[in-house]
Every structure is written in C-alpha cells, then in structure tokens.
Amino acid sequence: MTERTLKKIYYKIWWEVIREFNLSPIEVLTICLIDGLSRQKGWCYASKIALAKTLNVSPQTIYSTINELITKGLLVKSDKKLEGYKTSLFAPTEKWRNLVNYLSNPLTDTL
C-alpha cells in the first residue's frame, strides 16, 4: 500500500446557516468545499467532476446541488475560457461570505 498525503481542509459549519438557507447535507459540503477552494484566487477552478470525486457523489448530484445553491443566492457562476476550453468557475456570494465572516467574528464584523 502506498502512502498518500492528504490535504486537510477544515471548515466550521453553523447550524444557524443551515437553518437560514434550508441547506441539505450535500449543499453544505459543496459550498464549504467551493468556498475553501476559491479563497486564494477568488474562484473555484475545480471541475464539477473533481468536486464530485472529492465528495464521493455522482457528477449529476454536483450539477443539481450547484444549481440549487445558485438559486438560493449562495453561489455565483462565471463562464471563462481557460487554455482554449470553456469552463464554469464558481464562488460563494457576498451573502454567504458576509454571514460566515460575521459568525466567525461576531464582535468585530457586521452584516
């Protein structure tokens, strides 16, 4: 058996957010993953297939989950051309980030 190095991703999940937006477990995992992956460059560059593999779900589940998160106003989509190929990039909306930042620092941030 070969050793693998796993990248650790930690994310706080607030029950208030889950209730506020009526999020399913896969929606919570998806938006947390996209939020984490988009922090450095502003957009999540992972493909939907890569996101599906990471979360151990089907690509169709990721497609429908992303569409639901866009409908709820928690994700935005941008169609870009990268290396000659059209691809969709995703990022959490300010609505999501502001709420997460507020819950992380309730005494210093305001909504």
Side-chain angles (χ1 to χ4, degrees):
M1 184 174 234
T2 61
E3 266 189 58
R4 293 186 338 173
T5 303
L6 298 176
K7 183 177 179 183
K8 295 178 184 177
I9 298 174
Y10 297 97
Y11 208 91
K12 288 183 182 179
I13 299 173
W14 292 274
W15 296 112
E16 296 91 347
V17 175
I18 293 170
R19 283 193 298 269
E20 171 82 18
F21 297 109
N22 193 27
L23 298 176
S24 69
I26 190 60
E27 289 172 338
V28 172
L29 291 171
T30 302
I31 195 162
C32 288
L33 179 59
I34 290 173
D35 189 10
L37 293 172
S38 66
R39 290 278 171 162
Q40 203 170 35
K41 295 184 179 183
W43 291 96
C44 173
Y45 285 79
S47 69
K48 292 181 204 97
I49 292 171
L51 294 171
K53 285 181 181 178
T54 299
L55 296 176
N56 198 29
V57 297
S58 71
Q60 184 55 43
T61 297
I62 287 296
Y63 296 137
S64 60
T65 300
I66 285 173
N67 287 333
E68 188 62 30
L69 290 168
I70 290 170
T71 299
K72 290 181 179 184
L74 301 177
L75 276 184
V76 290
K77 175 182 170 183
S78 176
D79 291 322
K80 303 257 183 186
K81 263 199 164 183
L82 296 174
E83 299 176 12
Y85 296 97
K86 182 182 169 199
T87 188
S88 297
L89 306 178
F90 301 96
T93 60
E94 287 301 309
K95 178 180 183 179
W96 170 263
R97 289 241 169 104
N98 288 341
L99 185 56
V100 168
N101 289 337
Y102 172 75
L103 291 170
S104 297
N105 305 298
L107 300 177
T108 58
D109 292 339
T110 58
L111 285 175

